[in-house]
Every structure is written in structure tokens, then in C-alpha cells.
């Protein structure tokens, strides 16, 4: 059989197998509203084990986190019409009584520090304080352009779980940043 | 002054259904809200409310029946509630009904809108 020499530097079969384990949806590439729309509908299809509340939670979380990748990824594509599409990875997994939703993208180290601080604040607050924080930040956001921060508070409130963040350096200036959240199938 | 009628659309972006009636003061925002230009969309609605509350000065009955709205939309919804609260403080007659999907989280969100704006909002579970 004909072989293409530099097809991949990894085995697609191994990659496929890796994704077989508990993974319902995975996507890597540019993100915009059309791709979000397609993946959003996929989520609806694959999360059949959860109740309707769990489904709507995953959808809400997906919308906020995918939007963040689109807008804030340090890796991006520009379309012919000049739009910038952030690149990143989205994975939805199923583990026992919960779904996990993970997004990851490359970030500039200087940009990510305030985001990490924000995540640490979010994780340190109980639910009532987190709701108060959302109210406060929503007021502030009216005067600022950056709305990504309310998105993260919303994600933590919707998931009812902490934001599991990870930062892996890829160069002196950049790191791979990921956020994972867990959503119980029996959402309340 | 004219009514606002916007048909809801669910495509890549989600436009909510909007019906604002000058003659009755009955206003409805329903469906899903995830827009390309959120502020631009809602500024039309805010302008309508400003005009109605300064020229017509009739009662306002607001029904929010949103099954989904993103965080950018939530900021604009608070702007609407702020205007309604202001009108009420100035002596305007305002009723606000918020239909929520029957979940703890959404109920909390309405309660937070009440705390955030000081406006009285009737919480009604969606059918």
C-alpha cells in the first residue's frame, strides 16, 4: 500500500483509541459562532444520560468557555474578511455520574495572570459569595469591555464545581492554559 | 412612537423574540439571547423604554421568558431592569414577570437580578 511519508508524526489509530475512553465530543481548531453552533447541537445529542438540567448546564458552560477560546486564544486564524478566529481544544467527557468539560488554548503568559487570579478568587468563594461576586462584576463590566470574567464566574455557578485550571509552559512567552469543570448528570 | 416586533431566530446566533407595544405597555422578551452585537441589539430596546417612560408615561408590564441568555446578554438585561426601576421610582407603574426554567440555578439568577437592581420581580416557573 502507498504510504505518505510525513503524514502524521503520531498514530491516528492511537489518537482515536485515546479519545474512545469516556470522550463524547472532542474538537481542535479554530472557533467561531458557526462551529460553536455545530458543537452545541452535538452536545445535545451525546449527553443523553443526563437530565435536562444537566444538558442545559453543559450547554451554558460550553457557550461561555468556547467563546473565551475564540476571543482570547494566542493562536488564531484570520479569515479573508479579516475576522480573527481563536484556536483551541474542547473536550466533553463522561465519567460515571458526571460530565467533564475541558477547554484549552495557548495564551501569552502576561495575559493569563489576571485570569488565573480570577479563577483562584472564584475557587475560594462559597456559593453565596460567588453570587455576590457575579453581581459586583456585572456592575463593573458595564463600564469595561472585557466580559470574559463574568463568564468564568457563571461557569463555576452553573457547574457547581471549582474551575480546575492548569498552565503548561510552551515557551518563554506562552503557555497552554486549560480549564476543566465537572457537571453532575443529576443537575438540580 | 412605534411598537417593536422582532421575530426570534435560532441560527449561529440566537435572537430573542421581542414584542413591545406602545398602546398597552405590554412588553415581552422571549426565547434565546446570544448575539453578535449584544449592546447594539439591546440599545434599541433601551431607547424604546426611555422614550416610552418620558413621553407616553403609561404602565409597563414586562414578561421575560428566556430559556437561554449568555453573560453578555445578562448585562443588558440588568440595564433594562435598571431603567424599569428608575421609572418606578419616578412614579411609573411597572410589573415585571420573570419566567424561569424550573431549576435552582435559574431561580438564583432571578433572585440575583432582584438584589442587583432593587426591582420587584415576580418569579414564575416556565410551563
Amino acid at each position: 500500500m502507498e504510504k505518505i511519508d510525513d503524514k502524521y508524526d503520531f498514530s491516528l489509530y492511537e489518537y482515536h483509541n485515546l479519545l474512545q475512553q469516556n470522550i463524547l465530543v472532542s474538537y481542535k481548531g479554530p472557533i467561531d459562532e458557526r462551529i460553536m453552533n455545530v458543537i452545541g447541537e452535538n452536545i445535545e445529542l451525546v449527553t443523553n444520560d443526563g437530565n435536562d438540567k444537566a444538558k442545559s448546564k453543559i450547554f451554558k458552560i460550553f457557550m461561555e468557555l468556547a467563546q473565551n477560546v475564540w476571543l482570547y486564544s494566542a493562536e488564531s486564524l484570520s479569515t479573508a474578511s479579516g475576522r480573527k478566529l481563536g484556536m483551541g481544544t474542547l473536550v466533553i467527557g463522561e465519567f460515571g455520574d458526571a460530565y467533564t468539560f475541558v477547554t484549552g488554548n495557548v495564551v501569552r503568559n502576561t495575559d493569563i495572570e489576571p485570569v488565573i487570579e480570577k479563577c483562584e478568587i472564584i475557587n475560594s468563594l462559597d456559593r453565596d459569595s460567588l453570587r455576590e461576586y457575579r453581581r459586583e462584576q456585572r456592575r463593573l463590566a458595564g463600564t469595561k469591555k472585557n466580559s470574559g470574567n463574568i463568564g468564568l464566574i457563571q461557569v463555576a455557578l452553573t457547574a457547581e464545581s471549582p474551575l480546575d485550571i492548569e498552565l503548561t509552559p510552551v515557551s518563554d512567552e506562552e503557555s497552554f492554559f486549560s480549564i476543566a469543570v465537572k457537571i453532575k448528570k443529576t443537575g438540580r | 412612537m412605534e411598537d417593536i416586533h422582532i421575530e426570534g431566530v435560532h441560527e449561529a446566533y440566537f435572537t430573542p423574540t421581542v414584542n413591545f407595544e406602545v398602546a398597552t405597555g405590554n412588553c415581552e422578551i422571549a426565547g434565546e439571547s446570544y448575539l453578535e452585537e449584544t449592546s447594539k441589539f439591546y440599545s434599541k430596546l433601551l431607547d424604546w423604554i426611555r422614550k416610552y417612560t418620558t413621553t407616553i408615561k403609561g404602565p409597563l408590564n414586562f414578561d421575560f421568558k428566556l430559556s437561554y441568555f449568555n453573560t453578555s446578554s445578562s448585562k443588558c438585561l440588568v440595564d433594562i431592569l435598571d431603567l424599569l426601576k428608575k421609572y418606578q421610582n419616578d412614579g411609573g407603574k411597572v410589573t415585571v414577570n420573570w419566567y424561569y426554567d424550573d431549576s435552582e440555578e435559574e431561580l438564583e439568577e432571578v433572585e440575583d437580578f432582584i438584589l442587583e437592581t432593587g426591582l420587584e420581580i415576580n418569579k414564575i416557573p416556565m410551563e
Side-chain angles (χ1 to χ4, degrees), chain A residues 33 36-37 41 53 57 59-60 63-64 67 70 127 131 134-135 138-139 141 147 150-151 154 158 188, chain B residues 10-14 34 68 70-72 74-75 78 82 102-105 108-109 111-113 115-116:
Chain A
E33 75 280 8
M36 281 176 60
N37 190 247
E41 284 180 8
K53 288 169 193 170
K57 277 171 182 286
F59 181 76
K60 274 170 86 170
M63 293 296 279
E64 297 295 333
Q67 181 96 8
W70 172 9
R127 190 163 186 88
R131 285 171 61 186
R134 176 175 62 187
R135 297 197 295 272
R138 187 148 50 202
R139 281 280 168 220
S147 66
I150 306 189
Q154 186 64 52
T158 303
R188 62 184 187 120
Chain B
H10 178 111
E11 286 172 346
Y13 287 103
F14 316 152
Y34 165 62
Y68 171 75
N70 67 347
T71 49
S72 302
S74 82
K75 277 182 277 172
V78 166
D82 279 343
D102 187 20
S103 81
E104 266 312 296
E105 192 207 340
E108 282 178 358
E109 184 129 39
E111 282 165 355
D112 283 349
F113 284 139
L115 286 168
E116 209 166 324

Side-chain angles (χ1 to χ4, degrees), chain B residues 85-104:
Chain B
K85 177 65 185 170
K86 189 170 165 285
Y87 183 49
Q88 195 174 53
N89 288 347
D90 295 345
K93 194 167 174 288
V94 177
T95 314
V96 182
N97 298 314
W98 198 291
Y99 294 80
Y100 66 97
D101 200 1
D102 187 20
S103 81
E104 266 312 296

Side-chain angles (χ1 to χ4, degrees), chain B:
Chain B
M1 186 169 180
E2 283 176 20
D3 293 351
I4 297 183
H5 292 294
I6 300 169
E7 183 100 22
V9 181
H10 178 111
E11 286 172 346
Y13 287 103
F14 316 152
T15 308
T17 295
V18 179
N19 290 303
F20 285 9
E21 260 183 32
V22 179
T24 58
N26 291 342
C27 300
E28 174 195 47
I29 304 178
E32 300 166 297
S33 181
Y34 165 62
L35 299 140
E36 185 168 17
E37 294 178 294
T38 315
S39 309
K40 197 174 163 190
F41 180 86
Y42 279 96
S43 70
K44 277 184 297 187
L45 310 188
L46 292 164
D47 285 344
W48 188 95
I49 298 168
R50 277 192 205 98
K51 198 167 175 193
Y52 182 91
T53 55
T54 50
T55 60
I56 310 284
K57 295 183 183 173
L60 278 175
N61 311 304
F62 257 85
D63 283 341
F64 292 90
K65 293 181 180 170
L66 289 160
S67 58
Y68 171 75
F69 53 90
N70 67 347
T71 49
S72 302
S73 302
S74 82
K75 277 182 277 172
C76 299
L77 294 169
V78 166
D79 290 341
I80 290 179
L81 299 174
D82 279 343
L83 275 185
L84 298 179
K85 177 65 185 170
K86 189 170 165 285
Y87 183 49
Q88 195 174 53
N89 288 347
D90 295 345
K93 194 167 174 288
V94 177
T95 314
V96 182
N97 298 314
W98 198 291
Y99 294 80
Y100 66 97
D101 200 1
D102 187 20
S103 81
E104 266 312 296
E105 192 207 340
E106 294 198 14
L107 185 58
E108 282 178 358
E109 184 129 39
V110 189
E111 282 165 355
D112 283 349
F113 284 139
I114 296 172
L115 286 168
E116 209 166 324
T117 61
L119 186 70
E120 200 180 302
I121 300 175
N122 303 315
K123 296 164 283 188
I124 304 168
M126 230 180 302
E127 289 294 301

Side-chain angles (χ1 to χ4, degrees), chain A residues 9 18 38 54 65 81 94 115-116 131 134 142 156 172 176 185:
Chain A
D9 58 3
L18 190 65
V38 173
L65 290 181
S81 59
E94 185 179 25
V115 178
I116 289 174
R131 285 171 61 186
R134 176 175 62 187
D172 287 346
F176 187 79
K185 287 182 182 174

Side-chain angles (χ1 to χ4, degrees), chain A residues 115-117 119-120 123 162-167 177-180:
Chain A
V115 178
I116 289 174
E117 275 170 33
C119 291
E120 281 166 357
N123 289 341
L163 306 173
D164 182 351
I165 54 171
E166 235 177 88
L167 196 66
F177 175 64
S178 74
I179 299 184

